[in-house]
Amino acid sequence: MKSKFLALCAATAALMVGATAAQSATLDTVKARGKLICGVSLSTPGFAAADDKGRMQGFDADICRSIAAAVLGDGEKVDFVLTNINTRFQALQSGEIDVLSRQTTATFSRETSLGIDFGPTVFYDGQGLLVPKSLGVASAKELTDAAICTLPGTTTSQNLTDFFRSIGGKFELVVFESPDENRAAFYSGRCEAISSDRSDLASIRAVANNPDDYVLLPETISKEPLAPAVRQNDSNWRDIVSWSVYMLMAAEEKGITQANVDEMTKSEDPEIQRMLGGADELGKMLGLDNKWGYNVIKSVGNYAEVFDRNLGEKTKLGMTRGPNTQWNAGGLLYAPPVR
């Protein structure tokens, strides 16, 4: 009986080793290359847009940097690939990029039919509508028969159809291939409204010549949980992406910041010690250095820091945290325990 048990253990261990080898493909590729290749949007201020020095800035860009820091120890070891609405999933499926961090909604059909897996929700969003203030509209319910600008290959069209059907109204969908064309058409008056995720609409309003000329209507007509995506059947890589995100959330909850992370390595809190590599060997479980969590926070800070500098109330977007606050402050952010 004992010999059969040992044989079973040996067989199980062999299967686990084989599975780990198969699932570590992306990690091995990134380490060998010395850079992470991350897919982001073409130009969405607040989420991903190059500054005047050519450096990619934004919330999604910082998610990329957090992953690069976890894997390579340096958040700057990342190449950004610009992807559009129609090619973003193809770029991931083909291996052109290692991870997609591009204001992408996690949905049932995408995860089950596109050969991709989503990581944790990094931004709880919802679809809305932006209109010129001069239109005199106070509610989306007043937009019956309106022309509404949007982009192809998104969940926007279906959500609009569902919303207007629920109120017994109709609308004209006007589709443009690129974000620049979409924005220009809306600014020029080609459409009475433009619809997208509310975070995207905040960006569109922020880059208008006169942002105060536009108003974001109060209705949120859908749930849009935005999350990074990876290729299916690489569970180790998905774990790395997921826990890089969770580290940002956990750091905020524990009061660890980019500025105080070195001091916090002296903390007597057992979980903080595990997070920053001072206790246990959690890094080995991911195939990473044991200071991977420290590297994430040192590179980009915690979730609040990432949000505030890219999207927060002191930026042009002027967004409040809303549901993107910690669970213990009435929000939806919840990192599993690091243990």
Side-chain angles (χ1 to χ4, degrees):
M1 181 66 70
K2 184 176 181 180
S3 61
K4 288 183 178 179
F5 176 75
L6 292 174
L8 179 61
C9 289
T12 302
L15 287 172
M16 291 179 66
V17 169
T20 300
Q23 294 165 353
S24 65
T26 305
L27 175 60
D28 291 343
T29 298
V30 173
K31 283 184 173 181
R33 186 194 301 127
K35 279 191 176 182
L36 176 77
I37 300 179
C38 194
V40 295
S41 57
L42 294 173
S43 181
T44 306
F47 283 88
D51 62 18
D52 54 6
K53 296 180 180 179
R55 187 176 189 271
M56 190 63 67
Q57 303 280 8
F59 184 90
D60 285 341
D62 279 347
I63 296 297
C64 297
R65 290 189 176 98
S66 74
I67 300 165
V71 176
L72 301 169
D74 185 348
E76 297 305 312
K77 290 185 176 180
V78 53
D79 283 345
F80 295 98
V81 173
L82 305 184
T83 63
N84 64 37
I85 289 290
N86 296 316
T87 64
R88 54 182 167 171
F89 296 123
Q90 182 181 350
L92 183 60
Q93 294 159 345
S94 68
E96 179 185 353
I97 59 177
D98 304 312
V99 61
L100 179 69
S101 178
R102 192 198 181 283
Q103 285 179 288
T104 299
T105 303
T107 69
F108 175 88
S109 59
R110 285 174 173 174
E111 193 158 52
T112 57
S113 65
L114 295 180
I116 64 174
D117 285 327
F118 286 99
T121 298
V122 294
F123 191 94
Y124 289 93
D125 210 344
Q127 187 173 325
L129 292 112
L130 185 71
V131 298
K133 191 177 292 184
S134 60
L135 195 63
V137 170
S139 168
K141 295 177 181 179
E142 301 175 49
L143 289 175
T144 295
D145 297 323
I148 301 177
C149 287
T150 190
L151 294 167
T154 71
T155 55
T156 304
S157 175
Q158 183 62 57
N159 293 335
L160 286 170
T161 299
D162 291 347
F163 173 75
F164 280 98
R165 182 179 295 146
S166 73
I167 64 171
K170 296 180 181 180
F171 70 101
E172 177 192 352
L173 192 67
V174 185
V175 179
F176 294 92
E177 289 299 318
S178 77
D180 288 342
E181 291 175 333
N182 194 36
R183 288 192 295 262
F186 172 63
Y187 296 148
S188 69
R190 171 65 180 83
C191 307
E192 284 95 342
I194 188 169
S195 187
S196 184
D197 294 345
R198 294 179 72 86
S199 62
D200 192 39
L201 296 178
S203 179
I204 291 170
R205 181 178 181 273
V207 298
N209 288 333
N210 296 295
D212 289 341
D213 289 346
Y214 301 93
V215 59
L216 184 58
L217 297 179
E219 289 87 355
T220 299
I221 67 173
S222 71
K223 294 185 293 184
E224 305 294 332
L226 308 184
V230 298
R231 286 179 290 280
Q232 280 183 350
N233 302 318
D234 195 342
S235 61
N236 184 59
W237 184 243
R238 183 183 185 182
D239 286 345
I240 289 169
V241 170
S242 295
W243 281 97
S244 297
V245 171
Y246 287 140
M247 186 57 63
L248 301 176
M249 299 177 186
E252 180 186 7
E253 183 179 347
K254 290 290 187 178
I256 310 171
T257 68
Q258 191 174 33
N260 74 12
V261 65
D262 289 305
E263 184 64 26
M264 293 296 277
T265 61
K266 303 171 187 176
S267 170
E268 295 183 2
D269 183 320
E271 187 166 24
I272 291 177
Q273 282 296 309
R274 289 191 290 270
M275 290 168 62
L276 303 182
D280 300 338
E281 294 187 343
L282 302 188
K284 286 186 177 180
M285 299 180 187
L286 294 171
L288 304 178
D289 184 90
N290 213 44
K291 294 187 68 175
W292 66 275
Y294 168 91
N295 292 333
V296 168
I297 302 164
K298 191 69 174 177
S299 292
V300 300
N302 63 34
Y303 183 93
E305 292 176 287
V306 172
F307 186 101
D308 289 345
R309 70 169 164 264
N310 294 303
L311 308 172
E313 296 181 67
K314 294 182 180 179
T315 69
K316 288 184 177 180
L317 273 69
M319 300 187 71
T320 59
R321 291 283 294 270
N324 298 293
T325 54
Q326 290 284 334
W327 64 279
N328 53 10
L332 298 177
L333 292 190
Y334 192 112
V338 183
R339 62 171 184 259

